Amino acid sequence: MLCSVFSCLDARNVEELTLGVECSPELSGPVWRSILDGIPRLRRLNILRRASRPILAALCHDDASDKILCPLLSTVSISDDHMISSVRLFLFAEDRAEHGVPLEKLRIVSKMSAHSPRLETELEELREYVSEISYMKDEPFDVTHLPTGWPTETYQWILKRCVHKGRRW
């Protein structure tokens, strides 16, 4: 479904992207790289209720192409990722900083109380690579995390256009 949207959409000027609701099976790294490669002006990424690991991995430097995707990306917000990995967060932040495109803000919201003490401590180690880190625990999902006016008329038009052309998700 997500691949279908991006195959119909010219996302070169998109500056904020919200990815929500987990899909099964999860998209592979090469698919995420293909999607994110089409969004070069992305500044803010919001990952809601889905695995962040493959998305963050895709945003790291690729040795084969010697390319780092979304070089303007400055803010990442991850909410309610039950499989959140402090190791992946660290590798992501370190990689971007080492390649001259560091994050400015990282926001984590987790309802998983078991993660809270350990994750909160581990996130502090990221301050070497990320200017502003915020961690909120046990916060219920809030629709205010979604962009105002979502879904937009443009999104609805694209959805209808894709369905009309026989592209199904």
Side-chain angles (χ1 to χ4, degrees):
M1 174 160 44
L2 187 61
C3 293
S4 299
V5 169
F6 282 97
S7 68
C8 296
L9 181 67
D10 178 0
R12 289 178 290 183
N13 292 316
V14 171
E15 293 187 6
E16 181 168 1
L17 179 64
T18 298
L19 300 167
V21 186
E22 203 164 328
C23 64
S24 184
E26 180 58 59
L27 300 177
S28 68
V31 173
W32 276 117
R33 286 195 65 77
S34 174
I35 290 170
L36 294 166
D37 192 33
I39 315 173
R41 297 186 66 190
L42 185 66
R43 294 179 182 278
R44 292 172 303 282
L45 176 62
N46 306 300
I47 304 170
L48 310 173
R49 295 179 287 152
R50 72 176 307 130
S52 61
R53 187 177 306 188
I55 301 165
L56 298 180
L59 286 164
C60 289
H61 180 263
D62 180 41
D63 292 330
S65 67
D66 195 30
K67 183 176 185 178
I68 194 155
L69 302 180
C70 307
L72 302 176
L73 183 64
S74 63
T75 303
V76 173
S77 177
I78 302 170
S79 297
D80 201 16
D81 176 357
H82 300 292
M83 303 288 287
I84 196 161
S85 165
S86 56
V87 172
R88 171 46 61 200
L89 290 169
F90 187 86
L91 292 173
F92 168 67
E94 178 185 53
D95 183 79
R96 300 226 17 129
E98 287 178 354
H99 287 91
V101 289
L103 283 182
E104 292 173 19
K105 297 177 186 177
L106 176 63
R107 180 175 182 261
I108 307 292
V109 178
S110 177
K111 289 193 262 183
M112 300 290 290
S113 58
H115 285 172
S116 298
R118 187 185 82 231
L119 185 60
E120 193 168 4
T121 302
E122 291 169 347
L123 286 175
E124 285 302 313
E125 296 175 19
L126 290 174
R127 293 203 184 276
E128 180 180 347
Y129 302 109
V130 182
S131 302
E132 184 181 323
I133 298 171
S134 63
Y135 176 66
M136 290 161 265
K137 50 189 167 187
D138 300 321
E139 180 180 298
F141 177 73
D142 183 356
V143 295
T144 61
H145 293 130
L146 297 175
T148 305
W150 185 258
T152 64
E153 289 180 29
T154 304
Y155 175 82
Q156 291 174 352
W157 177 81
I158 290 169
L159 180 65
K160 287 177 187 175
R161 184 172 174 245
C162 288
V163 171
H164 175 71
K165 288 187 173 189
R167 296 182 182 136
R168 297 237 169 224
W169 23 52

